[in-house]
Amino acid sequence: MSAHNYMFPTSVKEVEKLGWDSIDIIFITGDAFVDHPSFGTACIARYLQKYGYRIAIVPQPGWKDDLRDFRKLGRPRLYFAVNAGAMDSMVNHYTAAKRMRHDDAYTPEGRFGARPDRAVSVYTQALKKLWPDVPVVIGGVEASLRRLTHYDYWDDKLHPSILCESGADWLCYGMGERTMLSLTRAIEKSWSHRQMESLPQIAFYREGNIPQSLQDKARILHSFERCQDDKRAFAENFHHIELNANSAQSDILIEAVGNGYVRINPPLPPASTEEMDSFWDLPFTRQPHPRYKDKRIPAFDMIKDSIITHRGCFGGCNFCTIAAHQGKSIRSRSEESILKEVKILASQPSFHGNISDLGAPTANMYGMKGRDEERCQKCRRKSCLFPSRCNNLEVSHERLLELYRKVCSTKGIRHAYIGSGVRYDLFLDKDGFLDNSGKKYLKALMLEHCSGRLKVAPEHTEDKVLKAMAKPSFQLFERLRKEFDSINQSQGTHVGLVPYFISSHPGCRMNDMKALASHPALKGIWMDQVQDFMPTPMTASSVMYYSGLTPDARLEEIFTERNPDKKKAQKEFFFKRK
């Protein structure tokens, strides 16, 4: 049977049906398995399959029994690959008020309780108990964003690297196709630990003192224990971590912990367009695994008719993890690759002509980059847009508009909606549109690519809070509303504008929420999109929340609302006011 026409096995019977006598890699994941490019497990599994590896998946294994799910497929030839799923398991389980959620969108029928808290550590510990000599490689959002000392909101304390808590052998951070392939080949060739330690975009823990040769060439961070004793040291660490994560010239990072140290190797260069296309040019079925039969998986319902155009985000919002995981630079697919996927989607029997989301975390960053890429290589800014837009940034929307036109001209496509967020500071400033393509883009977005309500994220109205968020002045939203209303009036349309806001972010007091709720520029707008700030690992905002300091070169003190009742009051005031 060809390596390109089977669904990955999840049981012994399915393995036997394929006639396999061994499995190269067994994936353990906290999500139900959906063979779609929006799900990381499918992306990595299909990519490794392309190079001839036999992959099996164990989705949502039981962890409270005799660990039979971890044992059922036996020992893989190469290694176990572990992730918590598309979300951090703690974010998946708890609200910002630390209340347990009642459903799980990544589980059949939305059933809650199919994965443990801190799933990566629980799964890895189970595997190490059963198969202590088999390598375990961890990855995905939960592992990636917990690769160094991090603040855990749910325990309200610092945790060491997840490598220490889980006992995993290797950690692949960021978007993992290329890294996982090189790591797999190294394990297959029986490379020594010393040989493997040079691979880019991996992390690992080693016992003993930091070698002098490493001290001479690496960035040595404050130890985990020092960070526990000194919040300033933790904030300083994050400053250096963030600089390296957003720089094309990154250092090896070393952080001592316990009787050893964690080492983070620099990331790979951004993927080329050809490499990006290769990640999508794989035989995804775009369906949940047949094991689920007719059971509904809510997350799949949300993304089944969507198309991803690019990865990364150069916005640099302090509360966001996208750049920390996907990278700062935009890596775009070619128009040909996207249109090929559009045609595949249009041929699906369940597709009814409407693409639910054509985009990425920030939809209108597609194809954008610096005019002089040599300047970008030397740049150490975390954001191309804050505190001001970089003058080297190309902001034309012409290529994106042409892509939309081609997609909508494809047979079988009625509408292509933009369900993901857009940055309006990429086509507007306080004086108006940056160029004619920006004006055309907003008009097309309103009239052709939204289903009656356009969602945007100013996040707050008050300058000091916006500064703490690394978001632009609210004056830009006011300008957006002016242009938005003008287009509605001239076209005789009634498209709604829906702004998103965050309460209790570091720097935000009750008076700031009162000012937000009564801001005159919001009069007449339907507003019900306010979320209480939740500190998540590896964001500048979570560092501020824990330390009370801005994690930059200045390390200035900043107010943080840590009282749960007062956090709740900030959010509730908004709704009472409305």
Side-chain angles (χ1 to χ4, degrees), residues 119 286 340 369 397 401 498 522 555:
R286 302 182 69 91
K340 180 180 178 180
K369 58 184 180 179
H397 285 64
L401 285 164
V498 182
L522 299 174
L555 293 176

Side-chain angles (χ1 to χ4, degrees), residues 526-542:
W526 175 260
M527 293 199 301
D528 62 352
Q529 303 294 337
V530 175
Q531 66 180 65
D532 187 13
F533 168 67
M534 181 192 291
T536 54
M538 210 168 176
T539 66
S541 296
S542 69

Side-chain angles (χ1 to χ4, degrees), residues 121-273:
S121 293
V122 172
Y123 293 160
T124 303
Q125 290 163 9
L127 291 168
K128 284 299 182 182
K129 180 179 178 180
L130 295 170
W131 318 96
D133 58 334
V134 178
V136 176
V137 180
I138 58 176
V141 169
E142 181 163 300
S144 182
L145 301 182
R146 294 173 180 263
R147 58 188 183 262
L148 288 162
T149 296
H150 56 277
Y151 172 64
D152 187 281
Y153 174 62
W154 302 272
D155 277 353
D156 194 23
K157 66 179 184 181
L158 295 186
H159 281 224
S161 166
I162 196 169
L163 284 159
C164 303
E165 295 194 327
S166 68
D169 298 273
W170 307 99
L171 187 157
C172 168
Y173 68 90
M175 308 306 281
E177 287 93 347
R178 295 174 297 165
T179 308
M180 289 296 287
L181 179 61
S182 61
L183 192 58
T184 302
R185 286 173 166 170
I187 292 173
E188 185 174 35
K189 292 175 182 176
S190 300
W191 281 16
S192 68
H193 275 183
R194 180 173 291 275
Q195 288 175 297
M196 292 177 68
E197 286 173 0
S198 63
L199 292 172
Q201 208 163 311
I202 65 166
F204 50 87
Y205 173 79
R206 292 289 176 264
E207 291 188 346
N209 295 325
I210 303 168
Q212 187 60 51
S213 59
L214 203 51
Q215 293 187 41
D216 293 340
K217 65 179 181 180
R219 163 71 67 176
I220 309 298
L221 303 172
H222 297 300
S223 70
F224 166 67
E225 290 77 13
R226 171 76 187 282
C227 291
Q228 282 185 306
D229 294 337
D230 182 359
K231 292 181 177 181
R232 190 178 187 87
F234 175 58
E236 286 178 351
N237 267 12
F238 185 84
H239 174 57
H240 293 300
I241 293 166
E242 193 169 45
L243 279 178
N244 272 272
N246 291 310
S247 171
Q249 301 171 356
S250 302
D251 297 322
I252 295 171
L253 297 178
I254 301 290
E255 183 181 75
V257 51
N259 297 318
Y261 60 92
V262 171
R263 170 173 165 172
I264 312 289
N265 284 348
L268 283 160
S272 66
T273 299

Side-chain angles (χ1 to χ4, degrees), residues 322-440:
I322 293 166
H325 184 64
Q326 293 196 8
K328 172 187 171 185
S329 64
I330 302 303
R331 284 143 293 165
S332 300
R333 299 168 62 188
S334 69
E335 288 84 348
E336 291 75 18
S337 173
I338 294 167
L339 291 169
K340 180 180 178 180
E341 187 182 359
V342 169
K343 290 175 183 176
I344 291 171
L345 176 60
S347 70
Q348 299 277 314
S350 61
F351 182 68
H352 301 298
N354 296 321
I355 296 175
S356 61
D357 187 13
L358 179 65
T362 305
N364 61 324
M365 287 184 182
Y366 175 77
M368 290 190 178
K369 58 184 180 179
R371 295 184 179 92
D372 180 353
E373 293 193 53
E374 286 189 14
R375 282 179 60 184
C376 296
Q377 291 293 311
K378 300 172 185 176
C379 179
R380 295 179 73 83
R381 282 179 57 164
K382 63 168 284 187
S383 171
C384 301
L385 296 175
F386 185 87
S388 61
R389 187 177 56 258
C390 175
N391 59 15
N392 188 45
L393 181 65
E394 174 57 66
V395 294
S396 172
H397 285 64
E398 291 291 355
R399 180 181 174 187
L400 187 55
L401 285 164
E402 180 63 13
L403 174 66
Y404 291 173
R405 187 192 66 76
K406 290 178 179 178
V407 168
C408 292
S409 298
T410 302
K411 183 180 179 181
I413 302 301
R414 295 169 56 198
H415 298 288
Y417 296 119
I418 313 304
S420 43
V422 298
R423 289 288 300 235
Y424 47 86
D425 48 351
L426 282 172
F427 55 79
L428 277 177
D429 63 19
K430 60 183 178 63
D431 297 318
F433 290 101
L434 301 180
D435 63 15
N436 191 50
S437 74
K439 185 173 184 178
K440 289 192 292 184

